[in-house]
Amino acid sequence: MKIITFSATTYHAIMDLALTDPDIFPNFKTASEQLEDGNWAIPLSEEVHDRLQKLIRFYRNHGLN
């Protein structure tokens, strides 16, 4: 299990995905924890972490960040 941190903006964008397609991020809402600095810590399985990294690379490579 990997734990990654997101800004509140990114967290809410991912939450929108999790609500529309729970298979992408199962148990996302219950597993996430808000940190004191306002960011969010989210534990991810290796599979979900790898899929997320691929999405991030795709968006960065296409100037969509």
Side-chain angles (χ1 to χ4, degrees), residues 2-55:
K2 296 191 181 234
I3 296 178
I4 58 175
T5 58
F6 289 112
S7 68
T9 302
T10 302
Y11 171 82
H12 291 293
I14 293 173
M15 180 61 79
D16 289 344
L17 281 175
L19 293 174
T20 58
D21 190 352
D23 291 336
I24 295 174
F25 297 105
N27 303 318
F28 179 77
K29 186 175 185 177
T30 58
S32 56
E33 174 185 355
Q34 189 168 23
L35 304 173
E36 289 182 20
D37 63 3
N39 289 328
W40 288 81
I42 303 154
L44 299 174
S45 68
E46 293 287 332
E47 177 189 356
V48 171
H49 180 268
D50 292 346
R51 288 170 40 192
L52 180 60
Q53 290 300 319
K54 287 178 187 176
L55 282 171

